[in-house]
Amino acid sequence: MAQAQGLGRKYAKAFFKGFFVAVPVTVTFLDRVACVARVEGASMQPSLNPGGKQTSDVVLLNHWSIRNYDVQRGDIVSLV
């Protein structure tokens, strides 16, 4: 029983170490490099969301290109 408690603490400690490393890395990645967004509504039809209001498309927003001013003709730009 003592070994089970020690093993449980070991796994909990490893989980929290991984959690406290993974969360900041994930937040930084989503803020600085890229994030995923869902396009809903008719604002981008027919390019995105061609099926109407019942469906939605998922797009990858590339923050890296915007920071380096690497925007070209034909790119879709999202403003928040």
Side-chain angles (χ1 to χ4, degrees), residues 44 47-48 70-77:
M44 292 300 294
S47 298
L48 297 173
D70 189 25
V71 181
Q72 299 173 359
R73 184 179 183 147
D75 288 349
I76 298 173
V77 178

Side-chain angles (χ1 to χ4, degrees), residues 6-44:
L7 189 61
R9 286 184 182 157
K10 182 178 178 182
Y11 284 127
K13 188 176 180 180
F15 171 78
F16 285 116
K17 278 185 179 180
F19 180 79
F20 286 123
V21 170
V23 169
V25 169
T26 303
V27 169
T28 302
F29 180 83
L30 292 176
D31 188 42
R32 299 290 180 190
V33 179
C35 68
V36 177
R38 187 169 44 183
V39 178
E40 297 175 331
S43 64
M44 292 300 294

Side-chain angles (χ1 to χ4, degrees), residues 42-57:
S43 64
M44 292 300 294
Q45 285 179 342
S47 298
L48 297 173
N49 198 14
K53 295 182 180 182
Q54 288 79 18
T55 62
S56 63
D57 286 341

